[in-house]
Amino acid sequence: MTSTGEGPSATGSSSISANTSQISLADQFARSTEEEILIALDEIRHENDKLEKETIILTKYLKRVDPKDIQTQIKEASPVQQDVVRVHKRRSRSRTGSTERLLKLTTEQKCDIAQREHDELREEINKFKHETEKILDTHKATREEAEIRLAEMKKSSYEFNRDIVLGAKNPRTGKVIAERVTRYFEDKMRTRKALIEKLRLKNSTLKVQKKKLQLQLKQKEEMGEVLHEVDFKQLRIENNQYLEKIDERNQELLKLKHSSGNTLQVLNTYKKKLNHLTMESNRLQLEISQRNELLSKIDNETDLVEKERQKAEKINANLRRQLQDYIVPEVIDYVQVRADLYELTKTMKTWERKVDIAQMELQKYQKQWMVMREHSRSVNPWATMEQHAAL
């Protein structure tokens, strides 16, 4: 009975309080200025943001937690909290026509949920951090392995170029000698086999050590020699010291790698310069050989010219000697010689005309002879045959 009497009175009082609160809020907004309304609106927004964040945390908590656990939490709650829950349930049943009121969590429940979410988030962060560290370590190991492999490949390429491409060429034919190539690869395979055997022995030794350590650990567990908290603290301190040393070594390694990269860049620059200078040296050697050939030709020509010069000097000396010994004749002698030369020239021309006339006469007589010969052959052919037979 009391419970049925309480329902209408509670609803009536709640509706009256709601109406009065609405009237008071309306009067308050009517009396307030624009700045006060904006401040109140900011406070309401801040409160809504806080409620939204609490709702998100509660939603995540309810998704992760089993409903049975929530019931056990309610059962384990204090009597005052249970009375509050019952009153809220009773009021929610009695409020059929009015707006439903949401059950509010207590501060202890909020703190408990926030603490659980905080622990869960910390575990997820630690788990994600551990996984990312593993992935980072894997990538670092892969990168270091790739760098080592790249260095080995560069070394192998340099050795191959040095020993085979440049060192195994036949100087006469300019081709690579096949026997040296085969020997080079056989040596490489032999060194690889030796390295594989060495790593296999090291692996077997590590397996034996692992079995020994596992056996020792099992014996300690059986004998009850378990590590205490002080030992763990000591190990943690040593681990931190070793981690610091590892960080220092990593920093040194990074510096060495940086310096190695710079050295490699400088080495590549000098290699380029060396190649350029080698090409320039080859060009200069070729030019020197050409100049030497040209110089030898010039020397030969110089020798020939020297011999010709000596001959010319001898001829010149003879001509000078003859010139010194030569006596210039008198002018009357020269005139007499010129007159004699003119007379001789005139006589020679006269004889040339006589020779031409004689030749013309000879040709005339030869033609007449040929005609008479032909006429005699036609008259007496047997005589010509007898003459031929006699000949």
Side-chain angles (χ1 to χ4, degrees):
M1 296 292 289
T2 56
S3 63
T4 55
E6 280 179 356
S9 63
T11 40
S13 62
S14 62
S15 62
I16 292 167
S17 62
N19 292 326
T20 54
S21 63
Q22 289 177 359
I23 292 168
S24 63
L25 285 172
D27 294 335
Q28 189 175 0
F29 276 114
R31 294 172 185 173
S32 300
T33 61
E34 186 176 356
E35 293 180 357
E36 292 177 352
I37 292 170
L38 290 174
I39 292 168
L41 183 61
D42 292 334
E43 291 178 355
I44 292 168
R45 286 176 179 173
H46 182 67
E47 189 69 24
N48 287 334
D49 292 336
K50 186 173 75 173
L51 290 173
E52 186 177 359
K53 292 178 181 177
E54 290 179 357
T55 306
I56 291 169
I57 293 172
L58 182 61
T59 305
K60 290 182 179 179
Y61 176 75
L62 291 175
K63 284 181 180 179
R64 193 177 66 257
V65 178
D66 193 5
K68 294 180 180 179
D69 297 336
I70 299 173
Q71 294 295 331
T72 54
Q73 288 181 5
I74 293 172
K75 288 179 182 178
E76 291 176 358
S78 62
V80 179
Q81 293 175 358
Q82 291 179 3
D83 293 337
V84 172
V85 172
R86 283 196 214 96
V87 169
H88 280 296
K89 285 183 179 179
R90 195 180 302 120
R91 286 179 180 178
S92 64
R93 282 195 225 100
S94 61
R95 267 190 246 122
T96 56
S98 62
T99 58
E100 294 183 357
R101 280 192 176 183
L102 297 175
L103 294 174
K104 291 186 177 181
L105 297 174
T106 61
T107 307
E108 294 179 357
Q109 290 175 345
K110 289 181 180 180
C111 289
D112 188 15
I113 292 170
Q115 187 64 34
R116 290 192 180 186
E117 285 296 317
H118 182 265
D119 296 337
E120 187 70 24
L121 185 61
R122 184 186 295 168
E123 289 180 0
E124 289 180 359
I125 291 171
N126 292 329
K127 185 178 178 182
F128 181 72
K129 187 177 179 181
H130 183 65
E131 290 177 354
T132 50
E133 286 178 355
K134 285 176 68 177
I135 294 169
L136 185 62
D137 292 336
T138 305
H139 288 311
K140 282 183 179 179
T142 306
R143 184 173 61 83
E144 290 177 357
E145 184 181 0
E147 288 178 354
I148 293 168
R149 182 64 178 165
L150 181 61
E152 290 178 354
M153 289 178 68
K154 285 183 179 179
K155 184 179 178 182
S156 300
S157 177
Y158 172 73
E159 291 178 353
F160 184 78
N161 288 327
R162 183 191 62 190
D163 298 335
I164 302 301
V165 177
L166 299 176
K169 278 187 177 181
N170 192 344
R172 187 171 57 82
T173 60
K175 295 182 179 179
V176 179
I177 301 171
E179 290 79 5
R180 296 188 66 176
V181 177
T182 308
R183 195 181 312 119
Y184 174 81
F185 282 111
E186 286 177 354
D187 293 337
K188 284 290 182 183
M189 292 296 291
R190 198 177 299 112
T191 53
R192 287 297 174 92
K193 286 180 180 178
L195 181 61
I196 290 168
E197 185 66 22
K198 183 179 177 181
L199 292 174
R200 188 182 64 78
L201 292 173
K202 188 177 180 180
N203 192 13
S204 61
T205 306
L206 291 174
K207 283 182 179 179
V208 172
Q209 290 179 1
K210 182 181 176 183
K211 287 181 181 179
K212 286 181 180 179
L213 292 173
Q214 287 178 353
L215 185 60
Q216 290 177 4
L217 183 62
K218 188 175 180 182
Q219 289 177 357
K220 286 183 179 181
E221 288 178 356
E222 290 177 354
M223 293 174 66
E225 294 182 2
V226 185
L227 297 174
H228 298 286
E229 187 178 0
V230 180
D231 299 327
F232 280 114
K233 288 182 179 179
Q234 184 67 26
L235 290 172
R236 194 177 294 112
I237 292 168
E238 291 178 358
N239 189 19
N240 291 328
Q241 292 176 356
Y242 285 130
L243 286 175
E244 290 177 358
K245 289 181 180 179
I246 288 169
D247 290 333
E248 291 177 359
R249 293 290 187 273
N250 286 330
Q251 292 296 327
E252 291 178 0
L253 182 63
L254 288 174
K255 290 180 181 179
L256 290 173
K257 284 182 178 178
H258 183 67
S259 62
S260 176
N262 293 331
T263 307
L264 188 62
Q265 289 180 357
V266 174
L267 180 62
N268 290 328
T269 304
Y270 282 118
K271 279 183 178 179
K272 289 180 181 178
K273 290 183 179 179
L274 180 62
N275 291 327
H276 179 69
L277 292 174
T278 305
M279 293 172 66
E280 187 69 19
S281 175
N282 293 328
R283 188 183 66 79
L284 290 174
Q285 285 179 357
L286 182 61
E287 188 174 355
I288 288 168
S289 62
Q290 291 176 355
R291 293 291 177 87
N292 288 327
E293 291 178 359
L294 182 61
L295 184 62
S296 62
K297 290 180 180 178
I298 291 171
D299 290 336
N300 295 327
E301 290 178 359
T302 304
D303 294 335
L304 293 173
V305 170
E306 183 67 23
K307 291 178 181 179
E308 291 178 357
R309 186 185 66 80
Q310 291 176 0
K311 290 180 181 179
E313 284 182 354
K314 289 180 181 180
I315 295 169
N316 191 12
N318 292 325
L319 291 173
R320 284 178 183 275
R321 198 179 303 115
Q322 291 177 4
L323 184 63
Q324 290 175 359
D325 295 338
Y326 180 72
I327 298 171
V328 179
E330 296 293 332
V331 178
I332 297 171
D333 296 334
Y334 175 74
V335 172
Q336 185 64 36
V337 170
R338 291 291 296 177
D340 294 338
L341 178 63
Y342 177 74
E343 290 295 331
L344 290 173
T345 305
K346 188 176 178 181
T347 305
M348 184 183 69
K349 288 182 178 179
T350 304
W351 282 104
E352 284 179 355
R353 281 199 298 272
K354 288 179 180 182
V355 169
D356 291 335
I357 293 168
Q359 285 181 353
M360 290 174 65
E361 290 291 331
L362 178 63
Q363 289 177 359
K364 179 180 177 182
Y365 289 134
Q366 283 179 352
K367 288 180 180 180
Q368 290 177 0
W369 169 251
M370 290 296 294
V371 171
M372 290 172 65
R373 188 177 179 183
E374 290 293 331
H375 180 69
S376 64
R377 283 180 182 176
S378 61
V379 172
N380 191 6
W382 295 102
T384 54
M385 289 178 66
E386 286 178 358
Q387 289 178 1
H388 281 295
L391 291 172

